[in-house]
């Protein structure tokens, strides 16, 4: 898997998502739509938090790794619950 924030990594990530989405459309079509909501929700929340982290000064010790407060993940948590519900119903 390509490393870093590169066009190759972005393409690889998009292809992996497209593969899994297509697979769900074939194997469990009721799960494909909730999955299609979950992935972008999780990605957008993570991207926002990662961008914010890059704006902070570098940590100087191990204690600096602690978040201090949890990041908001409301959209991805709700999307994950809907996706899991669809997965359970599809079994």
């Amino acid at each position: 898997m390509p490393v870093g924030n590169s066009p190759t990594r972005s393409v690889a990530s998009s292809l992996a998502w497209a593969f899994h989405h297509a697979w769900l459309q074939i194997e469990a079509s009721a799960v494909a739509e909730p999955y299609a909501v979950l992935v972008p929700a999780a990605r957008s929340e993570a991207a926002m938090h990662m961008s914010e982290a890059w704006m902070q000064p570098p940590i100087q010790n191990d204690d600096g790794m602690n978040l201090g407060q949890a990041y908001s993940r409301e959209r991805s948590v709700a999307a994950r619950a809907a996706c899991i519900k669809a997965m359970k119903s599809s079994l």
Side-chain angles (χ1 to χ4, degrees):
M1 177 62 93
V3 180
N5 190 14
S6 70
T8 304
R9 183 173 186 264
S10 178
V11 168
S13 177
S14 294
L15 287 173
W17 180 88
F19 169 79
H20 288 99
H21 187 248
W23 191 2
L24 284 171
Q25 287 175 318
I26 294 166
E27 295 288 336
S29 60
V31 178
E33 180 60 29
Y35 179 79
V37 172
L38 171 60
V39 172
R43 283 183 176 174
S44 69
E45 286 175 342
M48 179 177 57
H49 300 315
M50 287 187 284
S51 294
E52 183 181 314
W54 276 107
M55 302 299 279
Q56 303 302 314
I59 62 167
Q60 301 299 316
N61 54 47
D62 290 345
D63 291 337
M65 290 299 293
N66 296 330
L67 288 176
Q69 68 180 31
Y71 290 122
S72 172
R73 299 180 301 133
E74 293 172 8
R75 286 179 44 230
S76 61
V77 167
R80 180 178 177 265
C83 191
I84 289 171
K85 183 178 178 180
M87 289 173 171
K88 286 180 178 180
S89 294
S90 179
L91 293 177

